[in-house]
Amino acid sequence: MSDQHHSSEVGRPDDDGGAMNLPERFENPGLEPHRHRLGDSDPKIAKRSERQIVFIFLISVLASIGGLVGYFLIPVDEPNVLNVRLSTLVLGLGLGLGMLGIGVAAVQWARALMDDTEKIEDRHPMSAGSAVQQQAFEMLRDGAKEANVARRPVLKGAVGGALALAPLVYLVPLIGNLGADWDISKFAHTAWRPVRGGDPEMYYQGQFRYLALDPQDTRIRAADVTNNNIVHVIPRGLPEQEHYLEEKAKAVVLLVRVDPALLKESPERASWSYDGIVAYSKICTHVGCPVALYEQQTHHLLCPCHQSTFDITDAAKVVFGPAKRALPQLPIAVDEEGYLYATADFDEPVGPSYWQRER
Amino acid sequence: MTETSASGRSAATADPIVPKPVSGTVDYLDQRVGAASMIKGLARKIFPDHWSFLLGEIALYSFIVLLLSGIFLTMFFVPSMAEVHYPEDALPVTMQGIEMSEAFASTVYMSFHVRGGLLMRQIHHWAALLFVASMVIHMLRVFFTGAFRKPRELNYLVGFSMLILSLLAGLTGYSLPDDVLSGNGLRITDGVVKSIPIIGSYMSYMVFGGEFPGTDVIPRMFTLHILLIPGLILALVALHLFLVFWQKHTQYPGPGRTDKNVVGYPLFPVYMAKAGGFFFIVFGVLALMGGIMSINAVWNYGPFDPALVSAGAQPDWYMLFLEGSLRLMPGQPEFVILGWTLSLNVLIPAVVLPGLLFTFLGAYPFIERAVTKDMGEHHVLDRPRNTATRTSLGAAFLSVFIVLLIAGSNDLVATHFGLSLNAITWALRVLIFVLPVVVFIITKRICLALQRKDREVVLHGHETGQVRRTADGKFYEVHQPLDEYERWIKVGHHVYRPLQLAAREDANGVRRPGGHLDNLRTSFSRFFYEDRVEPVTPTEIAAAHGNGHAEITEGEPTHAGELTSTGGTSR
Ligand code: HEM
Ligand code: FES
């Protein structure tokens, strides 16, 4: 049965047997007579092709030599960017033309000088047929018989169990260690969290973290925040802190002063801004890019990654794009000297959503 | 043993078929590994020739270039996220004294102070772009010509796995230099991983060894990038090529070519010269690109800083569809259910949609086989026009991909054409649903029209542009009839007909088991093969010639209902 489809010309079982013999179909006419190249009969043309090919190989040789010479002659340890450019260029040309020459010459050789008559080879079906299959089945049966596995369910179970468990002793330590302490609760708080007994340089009253300019790390006076200009903010003293990049990746904040009349603030957040100055997390609530662009006319913050747009005057709610949630707001106030500090951490995790976010 | 060696030697001396060093080497190897049989089996193996068969070769050769340039890079790249200050006396001036990771510092340093370092970085990056591009186009060739049909379904899956692995290779490699762009790429990856329900947060923690960015991710990516992924790709390349040898290459339809032969040129010398030569061409072109065209000049972006991002930045092209998919999705579908956050606004574009697209791509050979119920081996390729539904499905798939690519550059499109970003995004949101349908319909029309055109040319020959006048004063154009070789290309193909609906109940009114599945299969089959154009038959040609030149071609699609037989016509 399984042999049947190998025997018909195109091997479709739905062909009713001798369909291909019916005169209503054209017959395959067989290979077209070969057309010879000019060079096959005219030795002059063949000779010209040969010279051409030799010439191309020659270009390759020259290019390779040029590249090597360039390597030795062009120093890159000088304080001169031009040399770097030149070295790259010369080596690239040398390597490129050296390789390209070999390739073009070889292909040209194959096309112009090698025999170009098409040859035919037979194909055989992948399967050697049902007789061989039968033999294979028998061998499998005999092998299984010799292994004596039939009617030994406990043995089979033992093999399966051992094979399933052993790899775990490799995988569990591998995966277990990859996640270090697995403490995903770290996602939920940032370096803005008030502390006790903090350095007064960094914390107002040793408690509330000062806002500082990124990257200068200098405190920010509310009076210096000009109208409608964006200020990039980090927690004061962050660059000296342990896990600086991880903390920065969560704690970066944008500060803007807008006309207080424009601000739509909910009553519970009325105390979170200061004199029209609002602070929002810079980490996009979509998948976490820094929200970097501010449009002064519309008071919109735009994330350049996928263009989520947030309205600064309206609690940084999403007005367009793939993010769902508003940017978390950082509650701020000023100290006696007019420096801005955070009165609390964000009241929700910053950045992209994750399954346990609300827990 | 001595006998063989003696005969080998005597063969070499008595009748010098090949020069002595060659016969000596072959003899040496033959007696140890049986080399003569290998040569016998391989040396003159026939390979069909067609420009589109070069696409897979480009992929292979750019992979080799990736290996060679990558080895160079590993010698100078330091996969560490330890913070260092860039040397005060090293180029470029803008980076002097700046704090950065060792990974970034070593990338910049190798670009300016290792001769050929910048060249190799640029070759590596261009080769990566070409590698993925050639693989994608190679896959399209395989798709549209039906090269995936039996017996090549498994090799199709091997190729498909290589495509996925190459995307991972690109993603991990792109992250290594630890510049602003690669850092934000990782950050987006982190956000996407976090959106996976239940385990996403832990997976993110696992990737970064803690919170983003941590100090583990680059060493880890490095190991994946230079060892695990290339190792897997290499193994799959070997398997892929072995299967191509074993099953022999497919060939385009043509006179003398059947499912039972291979027409082409022998491996040695023609194919070796052409394919070998082509390797040098690919390498040469990539080296020239690396020497002339700057790419990923990371010192212009600066070291990664979680507060920085550059506007208008683009990922490498093969990641652009994901970026576009993320951009198109509206934000609303994020839900909190019983306190658990389900972020469908990220999950759908970044996981579900690519998952569906790739599943379609990977499963297609099996879908088509289920529809045709075709058990035979196929070695002669289809002309895309002759498989109108497959071609149209492929085109529709591509149109989705292209919408995603455009969406991934919507900001550039907006600034370039002075359009509103929101308007473009909305237009693309609509297009991603509408365009595939439109493209499907149009492509199918075009395919059927091309088939009808084929019929017409077969029946009436090529137009010559010469107009003659008959004795009774009528004008007609002289048509040049096709020779049998050219005609064969247009009439030789197999035409499938829809599977006939088997009755769901037998004569006694008893339901057959599996009737539902059969129904589904029949309607799929009708979707695939209802519209078709039959190739010209000898009878029709005879009739056309009998009726003279003024005949109008009949080639309207026939419909399933008019047919009595379920059998197809054969080659
Ligand atoms: C398998 C396919 C591969 C792809 C698609 C790929 C892709 C990439 C890409 C896009 C980069 C960033 C290059 C840049 O700086 O502009 C990169 C970097 C790198 N790749 Fe690969 N690569 C592949 C294989 C390899 C192999 C086999 C090795 C080593 C044996 C390697 C070693 C490196 C190293 C050391 C870097 C970092 C150096 C640098 O960024 O300048 N790659 N790779
Ligand atoms: S990360 Fe901001 S829109 Fe995607």
Side-chain angles (χ1 to χ4, degrees):
Chain A
M1 201 52 235
S2 68
D3 236 1
Q4 184 204 324
H5 62 262
H6 303 316
S7 52
S8 83
E9 156 78 333
V10 263
R12 286 186 192 90
D14 53 351
D15 291 344
D16 44 338
M20 61 175 187
N21 296 326
L22 294 178
E24 71 233 30
R25 293 286 296 174
F26 281 100
E27 296 278 341
N28 191 328
L31 271 195
E32 216 170 336
H34 185 67
R35 287 197 203 94
H36 285 284
R37 293 165 298 198
L38 285 178
D40 291 336
S41 48
D42 185 346
K44 262 197 216 139
I45 294 183
K47 194 76 201 161
R48 203 188 309 143
S49 299
E50 185 192 333
R51 272 199 302 272
Q52 224 176 36
I53 295 164
V54 170
F55 179 71
I56 304 173
F57 273 124
L58 212 67
I59 295 181
S60 160
V61 170
L62 291 180
S64 300
I65 294 173
L68 287 176
V69 170
Y71 172 83
F72 288 108
L73 289 192
I74 307 169
V76 293
D77 30 349
E78 285 190 5
N80 184 353
V81 183
L82 268 185
N83 278 351
V84 177
R85 294 234 174 87
L86 192 62
S87 170
T88 306
L89 182 67
V90 171
L91 286 173
L93 287 177
L95 186 63
L97 293 178
M99 295 287 173
L100 200 61
I102 298 177
V104 172
V107 170
Q108 184 56 19
W109 182 354
R111 288 163 48 119
L113 294 181
M114 291 184 185
D115 186 354
D116 75 335
T117 35
E118 288 193 310
K119 297 182 172 53
I120 302 187
E121 196 176 83
D122 281 342
R123 260 181 218 281
H124 305 286
M126 293 317 298
S127 160
S130 56
V132 176
Q133 276 188 8
Q134 214 56 37
Q135 285 169 350
F137 297 154
E138 281 161 18
M139 286 170 128
L140 291 176
R141 181 198 57 202
D142 296 347
K145 208 185 275 168
E146 285 169 28
N148 269 316
V149 287
R151 282 189 293 286
R152 282 195 170 74
V154 180
L155 177 59
K156 277 188 219 161
V159 173
L163 283 178
L165 276 181
L168 291 184
V169 191
Y170 168 74
L171 287 177
V172 169
L174 174 66
I175 294 174
N177 283 310
L178 280 178
D181 61 6
W182 295 105
D183 180 12
I184 62 165
S185 69
K186 283 184 198 161
F187 293 163
H189 43 82
T190 74
W192 295 110
R193 190 143 74 155
V195 297
R196 248 162 244 254
D199 178 352
E201 282 289 300
M202 288 155 59
Y203 291 91
Y204 172 59
Q205 293 178 335
Q207 225 181 338
F208 304 107
R209 197 118 188 200
Y210 280 115
L211 278 65
L213 286 178
D214 181 23
Q216 296 85 343
D217 195 23
T218 49
R219 288 187 296 175
I220 304 166
R221 221 190 278 272
D224 295 341
V225 179
T226 52
N227 210 11
N228 216 7
N229 274 322
I230 200 130
V231 183
H232 301 266
V233 171
I234 50 173
R236 180 86 209 278
L238 194 72
E240 272 70 55
Q241 197 165 324
E242 235 195 322
H243 299 302
Y244 162 58
L245 282 182
E246 290 78 68
E247 292 304 340
K248 185 168 183 184
K250 289 187 294 184
V252 276
V253 156
L254 291 170
L255 203 64
V256 201
R257 184 200 285 274
V258 286
D259 181 353
L262 288 176
L263 278 184
K264 294 182 214 143
E265 290 184 303
S266 61
E268 61 272 25
R269 287 195 180 183
S271 64
W272 287 18
S273 63
Y274 173 78
D275 196 17
I277 304 178
V278 281
Y280 288 103
S281 163
K282 193 178 175 180
I283 306 304
C284 187
T285 55
H286 180 223
V287 287
C289 281
V291 179
L293 308 176
Y294 181 60
E295 290 174 349
Q296 291 176 322
Q297 295 88 355
T298 53
H299 307 286
H300 284 173
L301 278 172
L302 180 76
C303 176
C305 283
H306 316 102
Q307 293 122 14
S308 289
T309 312
F310 305 88
D311 186 353
I312 278 287
T313 60
D314 188 11
K317 285 189 188 134
V318 180
V319 290
F320 184 76
K324 161 99 176 207
R325 289 176 293 102
L327 296 170
Q329 186 174 1
L330 186 73
I332 51 172
V334 292
D335 70 1
E336 300 76 16
E337 298 166 73
Y339 288 112
L340 289 162
Y341 67 87
T343 59
D345 198 354
F346 297 102
D347 67 346
E348 55 178 328
V350 300
S353 303
Y354 54 96
W355 184 252
Q356 298 86 349
R357 185 175 180 279
E358 302 270 330
R359 291 264 152 171
Chain B
M1 281 296 104
T2 37
E3 204 187 358
T4 0
S5 91
S7 68
R9 224 176 290 132
S10 70
T13 44
D15 179 17
I17 308 173
V18 289
K20 211 162 168 194
V22 177
S23 63
T25 314
V26 171
D27 179 43
Y28 182 93
L29 290 176
D30 190 35
Q31 301 204 30
R32 282 155 189 84
V33 292
S37 334
M38 293 186 208
I39 293 176
K40 201 174 132 226
L42 290 181
R44 302 288 282 171
K45 204 173 165 67
I46 300 298
F47 275 86
D49 205 11
H50 190 266
W51 66 264
S52 70
F53 299 161
L54 292 180
L55 295 166
E57 283 183 46
I58 300 181
L60 174 65
Y61 301 145
S62 32
F63 179 62
I64 297 174
V65 173
L66 280 168
L67 290 178
L68 293 174
S69 55
I71 290 170
F72 187 104
L73 299 182
T74 55
M75 301 294 146
F76 306 99
F77 177 73
V78 184
S80 155
M81 294 172 89
E83 291 290 312
V84 294
H85 289 269
Y86 198 69
E88 291 288 356
D89 56 353
L91 290 175
V93 181
T94 47
M95 288 293 120
Q96 289 170 355
I98 305 265
E99 192 175 355
M100 56 180 69
S101 68
E102 266 190 288
F104 185 80
S106 62
T107 306
V108 175
Y109 192 84
M110 115 164 77
S111 304
F112 285 86
H113 294 280
V114 172
R115 291 179 208 195
L118 178 59
L119 174 67
M120 287 299 161
R121 274 196 59 229
Q122 295 188 153
I123 291 180
H124 194 72
H125 209 129
W126 284 118
L129 299 186
L130 182 67
F131 176 53
V132 189
S134 53
M135 218 182 318
V136 167
I137 300 175
H138 170 62
M139 191 165 187
L140 292 179
R141 195 281 288 170
V142 167
F143 183 93
F144 284 116
T145 60
F148 55 77
R149 289 169 301 165
K150 189 181 172 187
R152 295 185 179 74
E153 304 98 321
L154 299 181
N155 215 10
Y156 180 87
L157 287 185
V158 172
F160 176 73
S161 316
M162 286 195 284
L163 181 67
I164 308 278
L165 282 171
S166 74
L167 296 184
L168 286 178
L171 183 77
T172 50
Y174 191 77
S175 309
L176 291 181
D178 201 18
D179 57 289
V180 166
L181 287 191
S182 75
N184 277 313
L186 275 181
R187 185 142 212 189
I188 293 174
T189 313
D190 176 51
V192 169
V193 169
K194 278 181 174 153
S195 77
I196 297 171
I198 306 175
I199 55 170
S201 337
Y202 295 101
M203 285 172 68
S204 151
Y205 221 81
M206 185 175 105
V207 170
F208 294 95
E211 287 187 281
F212 173 89
T215 50
D216 291 334
V217 66
I218 284 182
R220 287 177 183 178
M221 294 273 173
F222 183 70
T223 306
L224 295 181
H225 183 74
I226 68 148
L227 183 72
L228 191 64
I229 298 173
L232 288 175
I233 294 182
L234 202 58
L236 289 177
V237 166
L239 180 59
H240 201 66
L241 294 183
F242 168 75
L243 284 173
V244 171
F245 262 88
W246 187 246
Q247 301 179 323
K248 297 187 177 152
H249 207 291
T250 51
Q251 55 193 346
Y252 276 90
R257 299 165 186 205
T258 72
D259 274 327
K260 305 191 87 182
N261 71 9
V262 198
V263 178
Y265 303 101
L267 179 65
F268 178 71
V270 177
Y271 202 72
M272 259 164 88
K274 278 194 182 169
F278 202 57
F279 163 70
F280 288 98
I281 292 181
V282 171
F283 198 160
V285 168
L286 284 172
L288 287 180
M289 290 172 79
I292 295 168
M293 295 154 70
S294 161
I295 187 167
N296 211 16
V298 289
W299 51 92
N300 290 340
Y301 316 141
F304 178 60
D305 176 334
L308 295 183
V309 66
S310 33
Q314 298 269 289
D316 276 351
W317 78 267
Y318 46 82
M319 285 292 151
L320 202 57
F321 76 101
L322 269 183
E323 184 89 349
S325 172
L326 281 168
R327 284 181 184 188
L328 278 193
M329 185 74 192
Q332 285 78 14
E334 175 176 306
F335 306 106
V336 178
I337 304 160
L338 304 174
W340 307 109
T341 306
L342 182 62
S343 200
L344 290 180
N345 57 336
V346 179
L347 204 61
I348 290 179
V351 181
V352 177
L353 180 71
L356 286 177
L357 289 179
F358 280 111
T359 307
F360 169 79
L361 212 54
Y364 187 79
F366 305 94
I367 300 174
E368 198 181 293
R369 210 176 103 97
V371 172
T372 58
K373 282 205 161 176
D374 182 348
M375 304 295 169
E377 289 192 9
H378 295 278
H379 305 288
V380 174
L381 296 170
D382 290 321
R383 298 168 78 215
R385 68 182 62 175
N386 289 338
T387 50
T389 306
R390 176 204 295 153
T391 304
S392 314
L393 281 175
F397 180 90
L398 269 185
S399 72
V400 174
F401 190 72
I402 288 169
V403 169
L404 292 179
L405 288 188
I406 298 174
S409 347
N410 59 356
D411 47 344
L412 300 188
V413 177
T415 43
H416 197 266
F417 296 101
L419 297 167
S420 138
L421 196 77
N422 299 17
I424 293 176
T425 305
W426 268 109
L428 292 172
R429 282 175 182 171
V430 174
L431 272 183
I432 198 158
F433 294 104
V434 175
L435 195 64
V437 178
V438 173
V439 166
F440 180 88
I441 295 171
I442 292 178
T443 314
K444 197 152 177 188
R445 290 268 158 96
I446 292 176
C447 286
L448 293 172
L450 285 172
Q451 290 186 44
R452 262 176 244 135
K453 175 81 187 157
D454 278 352
R455 278 184 61 89
E456 191 172 305
V457 172
V458 171
L459 285 172
H460 306 295
H462 292 294
E463 294 173 3
T464 57
Q466 293 179 36
V467 178
R468 296 244 173 96
R469 211 183 125 176
T470 57
D472 52 356
K474 286 185 186 151
F475 290 90
Y476 70 96
E477 193 183 353
V478 177
H479 283 225
Q480 169 82 37
L482 274 61
D483 64 26
E484 55 177 341
Y485 305 110
E486 188 185 355
R487 184 177 63 207
W488 173 248
I489 297 177
K490 299 183 193 299
V491 299
H493 57 284
H494 174 90
V495 174
Y496 287 99
R497 296 181 184 160
L499 299 171
Q500 212 72 332
L501 189 73
R504 273 182 61 189
E505 294 169 357
D506 67 14
N508 304 325
V510 180
R511 283 210 164 177
R512 283 184 313 107
H516 278 294
L517 203 70
D518 276 1
N519 269 356
L520 191 70
R521 187 176 276 149
T522 333
S523 38
F524 260 117
S525 179
R526 224 176 306 126
F527 168 71
F528 266 78
Y529 299 118
E530 192 157 48
D531 297 328
R532 65 190 174 278
V533 177
E534 301 282 342
V536 177
T537 64
T539 342
E540 284 177 294
I541 281 230
H545 288 176
N547 291 355
H549 37 257
E551 162 85 3
I552 295 163
T553 319
E554 289 300 335
E556 295 310 309
T558 36
H559 279 272
E562 304 159 13
L563 288 166
T564 46
S565 136
T566 54
T569 45
S570 91
R571 211 183 297 278

